DNA sequence: TTTCTACTTTGTAATGATTACAATATAATT
DNA sequence: AATTATATTGTAATCATTACAAAGTAGAAA
């Protein structure tokens, strides 16, 4: 589900969403930076290219795009949100040593317990935290 | 792993943690209210019994108790933390209609993907969101 | 029991992420 | 090029959480 920028633009057009410079830049950033960036990281990076950019725009844009299901919020930190251009089902691992957030290709449906029979599941979140292999081997 | 208040007090004594009135009240509240309360809910409830209580104390106490692994933070809302007296491995389901947070008895180790071989896992978080059975049948 | 001291609680102020809002600007249609 | 609904921008507000210093207290020692 790692959509290209072109695919994302196509989806915007289909939904009659205006292709503003700022929206395209945010999408482009998320497509090119698969690092689960924070609002501030996105803002600082794009501010260089778009000097007029406002942080409120980043918030508005990210909120709107996630409402449209074009991106996902990753709530793995307790103080600030991170964003992911990959909207397919997958989990995350956060290394508490280097801070890196790994993507985990996995079948999240296997995690659904029987207790939830009869429940409608709209969102599945699987996060792990610890120390990654790379950091352990030092 | 639903410890009684007595078991929790015993653990505090073993670790030479002072048994302050406020700490005992917070633990008692979490043992008696398995609803994953917020800081504000705990504060407002205990303020009635302990009029001198400060919200900072609730924060200090909850942070300290979770460092000691006597309670757990449940980060299932995006704006505020919730707390759980049950420190055993289990998942959560949040109903977006009634707001209730259900506990899910499940084997979370079955969710660990192979990608994480060689990683040290300290924390496992499994959350689902949607509409619960009760709300659906209306 | 009283004293002592390190640890805890309390209240206020600060922080930091996020949102509200109104003025200005712009995408896309006519 | 004109129009208009929608988006961007900057500033101020909100709200959960933390920092900090003064006052209070649990628990050990005398």
């Amino acid at each position: 589900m790692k959509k290209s920028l072109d695919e994302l633009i196509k989806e915007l057009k289909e939904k009659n969403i205006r292709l503003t410079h700022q929206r395209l830049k945010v999408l482009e950033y998320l497509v090119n930076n698969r690092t689960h960036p924070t609002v501030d990281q996105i803002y600082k990076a794009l501010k260089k290219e778009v000097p007029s950019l406002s942080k409120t725009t980043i918030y508005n844009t990210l909120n709107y795009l996630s409402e449209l299901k074009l991106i996902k919020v990753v709530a793995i930190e307790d103080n600030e949100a991170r964003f992911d251009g990959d909207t397919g089902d997958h989990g995350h691992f956060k290394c508490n040593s280097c801070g890196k957030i790994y993507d985990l290709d996995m079948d999240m449906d296997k995690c659904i317990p029987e207790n939830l029979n009869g429940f409608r599941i709209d969102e599945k979140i699987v996060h792990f935290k610890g120390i990654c292999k790379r950091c352990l081997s030092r």
Side-chain angles (χ1 to χ4, degrees), chain A residues 21-131:
Chain A
H21 190 210
Q22 291 83 344
R23 277 176 194 161
L24 296 175
K25 280 294 175 189
V26 167
L27 280 175
E28 184 188 49
Y29 186 85
L30 286 174
V31 165
N32 292 335
N33 299 79
R34 303 288 190 181
T35 55
H36 317 91
T38 64
V39 168
D40 206 59
Q41 286 170 338
I42 300 170
Y43 172 68
K44 283 192 174 129
L46 297 185
K47 182 82 176 173
K48 291 174 191 164
E49 302 177 55
V50 189
S52 75
L53 192 64
S54 163
K55 194 176 262 191
T56 301
T57 299
I58 303 294
Y59 276 102
N60 290 339
T61 303
L62 291 169
N63 287 341
Y64 191 35
L65 293 173
S66 60
E67 274 173 33
L68 295 168
K69 311 277 185 197
L70 289 177
I71 65 173
K72 259 190 174 175
V73 185
V74 181
I76 199 168
E77 313 269 7
D78 28 326
N79 61 330
E80 67 185 328
R82 291 178 167 273
F83 293 86
D84 196 338
D86 181 355
T87 52
D89 260 13
H90 65 284
H92 293 102
F93 176 92
K94 182 187 175 200
C95 176
N96 288 322
S97 173
C98 65
K100 181 173 175 185
I101 295 174
Y102 293 76
D103 282 314
L104 303 176
D105 288 323
M106 56 186 290
D107 183 3
M108 299 175 77
D109 291 334
K110 283 189 180 161
C111 298
I112 302 174
E114 293 135 19
N115 313 41
L116 290 183
N117 284 340
F119 285 51
R120 194 184 88 200
I121 299 172
D122 297 325
E123 219 177 324
K124 291 166 259 180
I125 297 152
V126 178
H127 290 166
F128 298 97
K129 298 185 187 180
I131 310 290

